[in-house]
Amino acid sequence: MHRYIIKRVLMLIPIIIGVSFIVFFMMDMAEGNALDLIGLDFSEEKLAELYHQYGYDRSVFYRYLLYIKNLFHGSLGTSIIYKKDVLDLYLQRLPATLKLASASVLVAVVLSIPLGIRAATHHGSLTDNASMVLALVGLSMPNYWLGLMLAVLFAQKLHWLPSSGDLNGIWSLILPAITVGTGLMATMTRTTRSSMLDVIRQDYLRTARAKGVPEKRVINVHALRNALIPIITVVGTEMGKALGGAVVTENVFAWPGVGRLIIEAVNQRDTATVTGCIILTAVMISIVQLIVDILYAFVDPRLRAEYSTGGQRSRRKTGPRAAALGLAGKEGAVA
Amino acid sequence: MIEKRQDMNASRAPAVEGNILEVRDLTVHFVTEDETVQAVSNISITLKKGEILGLVGETGAGKTTTALAILNLVPVPPGVVKSGSIRVCGKDVLNAPVRELEQIRGSDVSMIFQDPMTSLNPVFTVGDQIAESVMMHDKCSKAEAWERAEEMLELVGIPRERAYEYPHQFSGGMKQRVVIAIALSCNPKLLLADEPTTALDVTIQAQVLDLMCDLKEKFDTSMIFITHDLGIIAEICDRVAVMYAGRIIEEGTLEEIFNHTKHPYTEGLFNSLPNIEDRTAKLRPIPGLMPDPTKLPKGCAFAPRCPYARPECIETPQEPKYFSDTHFALCSAYSEPGFRIDREEV
């Protein structure tokens, strides 16, 4: 398991290089640069000096190599626009994004898993059909539209909730979290339902019932544990996406998160900020994926066996009875 | 430990004199939008303490459905128990409230399932899966339940330290032993063994059968042994019921069925066995296939394949013909005096 984790962490290096390469060159292809923006009323000499300072008088490859060199020294560079270290900028915005991501994923998980289980156990019933229609509606609504509608209704007309910023604590969180959470909930409900439907027909649930396990425990323990893998996958993917910042939702609700920072930086051609934020987002997503993979191992012992590479399984002593039956030696080898 | 547990069981449920299992006129259908499958029709079974009944028949004859009905585990929908009553140790299984049903399952009656590969939950250790049953029924602590689970594993010939392993770490034969250990963990009074050896190779098969016979001796468990292997029946059963298309078409003691076969279908089953002494002898399979269970005739379902069939067989409902107190066959040919099937004359 440790070796597996180390391997995964090392895999971050090519991911970071790849991501930074793509973002860096795409930013270069866009028209204009940050220096032109801040240097609008600077003199020619001053501008030329800035160009030289940031390497804009050399080729993009030179700047990229410089960036990578700094990266390996642990620096994500300095934003030309904000005149601040990119890591600080990112960390400043991260709490808001984390808050929104966890709130929406939490709401989605708490609502969608019970709903999906119920839809699966009452397959074909009114609950099932209603929840599937609801999920379809949830999936079909674009975030920006739902966000705007919620803002119009609850903020503008009813004045119940604030429509922008994160200054009012949990109250400001409600509308953005619902906006992001609705789509998540729809996806998760569908995944839970289909995964449970697969498991519910398995023989081992019949075995559980036959030994007198109450139906509630059959579903919530025996079945759910087996249905969890696809559910964890979806939760992990969605959590990863949300950590990259809900770009659209953050803009609709003026939420001071990472997504909004990236959009602002792109508009101002702030290459260092964009590249840095996207690298950090990639790292966050990789960490979430790693956690998901570790969770798989906790949920499914068959995967646990796969992670621990060959030869690490403890050798068993053969019991006298089994030795007498002449079985244990052969069976023990089955991994 | 084992004696003590038996005392506990005895004090929990009032001792039932005589029959452990009484099934009366059980009919189970599977109803879908398009058709109705008559899986089990009008079956009656009684079983005394310590008795082993062999339930024989082709695939699809309704053997497993009968066993599932005894646990009230016929999947609903599409399954519907149309009529009949089932009493296990005097308790009405079909009308029992859920709580009581959960008590009956596992402790009064338990079942060994056919396919060991899919019958165990892949995400729990085998020890957990055995101990769960003990905890449910004996209301004991987890440690006691685990102790019992490890004992059960040793009883079925698996070293106790393997209780901490998962089903995927066991071979098919060992999984089947675990399934047996689960079924036996609470000393059920009635054990339904649904082809417990079919998925195993012959050497393991013999061990599992030995094991089950041992257990029967030790605990005096009543058993319904479902199989299509007549050899196994001859080894371990006291009585035999032959099923065809959802009905018991012949029932009697082992001796009566094997040596005084009455029903043409049972005769066909025996004829289908390869003859080990005469290796040049041709196999004589029963011609044709089982009838479509959605379109069973009013009369005898075997008539289209029966060498003795007369036109009226398929039209008129069959009445059981008794040859002794314990032996009957569902065949109208015997209304004709002097009717004999070939096997009996040999």
Side-chain angles (χ1 to χ4, degrees), chain A residues 12-47:
Chain A
L12 270 178
I13 295 170
I15 290 176
I16 289 172
I17 293 177
V19 165
S20 62
F21 182 84
I22 293 169
V23 176
F24 208 89
F25 281 84
M26 276 170 74
M27 284 303 289
D28 186 70
M29 275 186 266
E31 211 181 322
N33 63 45
L35 291 177
D36 293 337
L37 205 69
I38 59 165
L40 278 179
D41 28 274
F42 284 7
S43 65
E44 291 262 323
E45 295 88 64
K46 173 94 179 161
L47 204 57

Side-chain angles (χ1 to χ4, degrees), chain A residues 203-204 206-207 209-212 214 217 221-222 225-226 299 301-302 304 313 316-317 327 331, chain B residues 102 105-106 113 118-124 129 132 136-137 161-162 165-166 168-169 171 174 177:
Chain A
D203 285 349
Y204 49 76
R206 197 177 57 186
T207 312
R209 290 189 186 104
K211 64 187 183 191
R217 193 175 149 82
V221 178
H222 287 255
R225 180 96 185 258
N226 279 282
V299 169
R302 288 164 295 186
R304 208 173 312 159
R313 280 186 65 225
R316 253 188 320 269
K317 276 190 206 134
L327 281 175
E331 318 292 350
Chain B
E102 284 160 8
R105 290 174 186 160
F113 290 97
T118 57
S119 299
L120 293 174
N121 196 327
V123 300
F124 295 109
Q129 295 188 52
E132 185 179 28
M136 292 280 153
H137 294 295
E161 57 269 26
R162 295 201 66 180
E165 292 183 15
Y166 291 91
H168 72 272
Q169 290 163 296
S171 72
M174 286 193 136
R177 287 149 184 259

Side-chain angles (χ1 to χ4, degrees), chain A residues 298-316:
Chain A
F298 271 105
V299 169
D300 194 330
R302 288 164 295 186
L303 294 172
R304 208 173 312 159
E306 258 172 56
Y307 287 162
S308 58
T309 40
Q312 293 196 352
R313 280 186 65 225
S314 56
R315 298 256 178 273
R316 253 188 320 269

Side-chain angles (χ1 to χ4, degrees), chain B residues 149-200:
Chain B
E150 291 182 359
E151 263 173 39
M152 286 312 300
L153 275 181
E154 281 200 330
L155 192 71
V156 296
I158 295 174
R160 57 165 61 214
E161 57 269 26
R162 295 201 66 180
Y164 296 90
E165 292 183 15
Y166 291 91
H168 72 272
Q169 290 163 296
F170 290 79
S171 72
M174 286 193 136
K175 275 187 206 164
Q176 187 61 290
R177 287 149 184 259
V178 173
V179 172
I180 293 173
I182 291 175
L184 294 173
S185 59
C186 290
N187 286 336
K189 298 180 189 71
L190 171 63
L191 184 63
L192 310 169
D194 185 3
E195 309 201 12
T197 58
T198 307
L200 308 177

Side-chain angles (χ1 to χ4, degrees), chain A residues 196-248:
Chain A
M196 280 298 278
L197 275 179
D198 271 351
V199 172
I200 254 167
R201 302 193 185 96
Q202 298 293 327
D203 285 349
Y204 49 76
L205 295 192
R206 197 177 57 186
T207 312
R209 290 189 186 104
K211 64 187 183 191
V213 178
E215 188 62 23
K216 247 193 192 154
R217 193 175 149 82
V218 170
I219 297 299
N220 294 336
V221 178
H222 287 255
L224 185 60
R225 180 96 185 258
N226 279 282
L228 269 183
I229 293 278
I231 300 174
I232 292 176
T233 311
V234 171
V235 174
T237 316
E238 298 297 337
M239 188 74 194
K241 272 196 223 161
L243 284 179
V247 175
V248 172

